[in-house]
Amino acid sequence: MKRKYIFSLILIVGMITGMTTTNAYTTTLDFTGVTIAFDISHGGYHITEADLAPIIGNLTAAGNTVIYINETWGIPDDVAVLFLTQPDDNYTTAEIADIKTWFELGDKLLWGSGDSDYMGFFNPYAINQVLDALGGIIRLDGTSIEDSVYHDGSAYRTAPNQFGYGDPLYDDVALAVTEGMEAGIIAHGPCSIIAYNGYDYRDLRYGQSVFPLVVNVIMTYSVNATSADTDTSEGDLDVYAGLTGGLFPAVVHENFTDIGSNLILSGEAIYTNYKFMYGQNTENGVYNGGTHYGQMLVNNILNYFVVEPEEPEPTNAFALIPLAAIGVIYAISRRKK
């Protein structure tokens, strides 16, 4: 299988970005020795070298290996994290089976991201078909989220700023992965997250849906957010279309307890540096005085869910030497005395 490793140009761009950006806070990746894969074989808007350089630079600087899944499809078993970034092209039956097989190995993290349905440029079907195969609950919706109050210069440059739902029954994960965050994040033209019960799509907001304990809403858009079906599809995925009152889910976790793997869905590819989403400073300096916590949130999520590979137990080399050989060694040593 052919695997494309990250070009040195990406690392150079990442280093330049780090040198030219003033950090507003400290955040680190705390795991090492992990293999992370980015699928760029199915299109996507934010998969350029410049968009991925900062997170790839941080991952590799922490001692991890990053690979592209590009010209030849394949997911090595040792991949611990797989990012599906706004794919345009549908996955084949064989590719979906590969993702399912990999995910069911256990201790895996799958992160899928969406985009708004503005002008019909993004269709969440590609990711949702993967999620259908996994048999989980959460799905990407088919709308556009805007916020007239919390944004970075335009309503579609939304700033999700609510952590969980204030319910300790469901917010343990949300509180853990938002620790240290003093404000929200930037999501540039995002969609939202809905639920699927095996028959139809449902509102995932607190008070509108019965939360299973395996689903954790990490962040939501503010109470000022609105949802619109901008591509006028009027489809089954447009659950929130035309609704106001906000608190639409922006980043959601689902725990596949039976296999020990985890799923993250985000309404935007917040781990990419498009419009500085995986950054600390906003592009326009409008939201929160120019500081947002996208980089901290992504790092916290990865630190919380990524499982480092176990180190092999040291072996006693002497114990592996056949007894007959030990006798020979002993005899030789006596002759030399």
Side-chain angles (χ1 to χ4, degrees), residues 138-200:
I138 58 177
R139 302 288 190 275
L140 293 176
D141 86 334
T143 68
S144 297
I145 304 296
E146 296 189 359
D147 193 316
S148 61
V149 177
Y150 294 103
H151 58 75
D152 192 44
S154 301
Y156 61 87
R157 300 170 182 259
T158 61
N161 63 358
Q162 301 296 305
F163 305 152
Y165 279 118
D167 186 334
L169 182 63
Y170 299 112
D171 285 353
D172 285 349
V173 172
L175 293 175
V177 300
T178 58
E179 184 177 1
M181 295 175 57
E182 299 178 6
I185 66 176
I186 293 299
H188 188 278
C191 64
S192 187
I193 317 298
I194 53 179
Y196 183 63
N197 64 6
Y199 302 97
D200 52 21

Side-chain angles (χ1 to χ4, degrees), residues 33 107 307-313:
D107 291 335
V307 178
E308 291 183 341
E310 294 183 3
E311 294 184 4
E313 295 184 4

Side-chain angles (χ1 to χ4, degrees), residues 98-279:
D98 286 343
I99 295 174
K100 181 177 173 64
T101 298
W102 165 82
F103 194 67
E104 291 179 347
L105 291 173
D107 291 335
K108 305 299 186 184
L109 176 63
L110 176 65
W111 192 323
S113 61
D115 204 338
S116 74
D117 72 341
Y118 177 70
M119 299 290 291
F121 292 142
F122 175 72
N123 187 328
Y125 177 77
I127 285 184
N128 284 347
Q129 67 174 163
V130 173
L131 303 182
D132 287 343
L134 296 183
I137 296 167
I138 58 177
R139 302 288 190 275
L140 293 176
D141 86 334
T143 68
S144 297
I145 304 296
E146 296 189 359
D147 193 316
S148 61
V149 177
Y150 294 103
H151 58 75
D152 192 44
S154 301
Y156 61 87
R157 300 170 182 259
T158 61
N161 63 358
Q162 301 296 305
F163 305 152
Y165 279 118
D167 186 334
L169 182 63
Y170 299 112
D171 285 353
D172 285 349
V173 172
L175 293 175
V177 300
T178 58
E179 184 177 1
M181 295 175 57
E182 299 178 6
I185 66 176
I186 293 299
H188 188 278
C191 64
S192 187
I193 317 298
I194 53 179
Y196 183 63
N197 64 6
Y199 302 97
D200 52 21
Y201 297 98
R202 297 292 182 88
D203 192 327
L204 190 60
R205 291 179 298 171
Y206 186 67
Q208 306 297 321
S209 177
V210 177
F211 276 39
L213 292 178
V214 297
V215 173
N216 301 284
V217 175
I218 294 172
M219 292 198 71
T220 75
Y221 305 97
S222 87
V223 294
N224 306 287
T226 60
S227 176
D229 177 18
T230 62
D231 65 357
T232 65
S233 60
E234 298 183 355
D236 293 340
L237 298 177
D238 300 321
V239 173
Y240 303 129
L243 297 181
T244 59
L247 299 182
F248 305 110
V251 184
V252 181
H253 160 251
E254 183 171 350
N255 181 7
F256 287 70
T257 55
D258 56 335
I259 57 176
S261 289
N262 293 278
L263 167 67
I264 295 289
L265 275 188
S266 54
E268 245 291 1
I270 57 174
Y271 49 82
T272 74
N273 210 42
Y274 180 75
K275 302 298 182 181
F276 306 141
M277 287 189 291
Y278 181 72

Side-chain angles (χ1 to χ4, degrees), residues 3-160:
R3 296 184 293 175
K4 274 200 170 183
Y5 284 80
I6 301 307
F7 298 112
S8 59
L9 175 60
I10 297 180
L11 300 179
I12 294 172
V13 173
M15 289 187 290
I16 293 174
T17 301
M19 291 187 294
T20 58
T21 302
T22 302
N23 287 338
Y25 50 81
T26 299
T27 176
T28 59
L29 291 169
D30 301 332
F31 52 89
T32 190
V34 172
T35 301
I36 298 98
F38 288 82
D39 173 31
I40 62 172
S41 65
H42 293 79
Y45 301 111
H46 308 329
I47 55 175
T48 67
E49 292 170 351
D51 290 334
L52 294 176
I55 190 170
I56 289 175
N58 286 347
L59 287 167
T60 54
N64 302 291
T65 300
V66 179
I67 65 172
Y68 274 153
I69 300 174
N70 193 2
E71 295 175 352
T72 302
W73 173 263
I75 311 172
D77 287 350
D78 64 347
V79 167
V81 185
L82 173 61
F83 289 94
L84 306 182
T85 306
Q86 304 169 327
D88 289 322
D89 301 328
N90 294 336
Y91 292 84
T92 67
T93 300
E95 290 169 344
I96 292 174
D98 286 343
I99 295 174
K100 181 177 173 64
T101 298
W102 165 82
F103 194 67
E104 291 179 347
L105 291 173
D107 291 335
K108 305 299 186 184
L109 176 63
L110 176 65
W111 192 323
S113 61
D115 204 338
S116 74
D117 72 341
Y118 177 70
M119 299 290 291
F121 292 142
F122 175 72
N123 187 328
Y125 177 77
I127 285 184
N128 284 347
Q129 67 174 163
V130 173
L131 303 182
D132 287 343
L134 296 183
I137 296 167
I138 58 177
R139 302 288 190 275
L140 293 176
D141 86 334
T143 68
S144 297
I145 304 296
E146 296 189 359
D147 193 316
S148 61
V149 177
Y150 294 103
H151 58 75
D152 192 44
S154 301
Y156 61 87
R157 300 170 182 259
T158 61

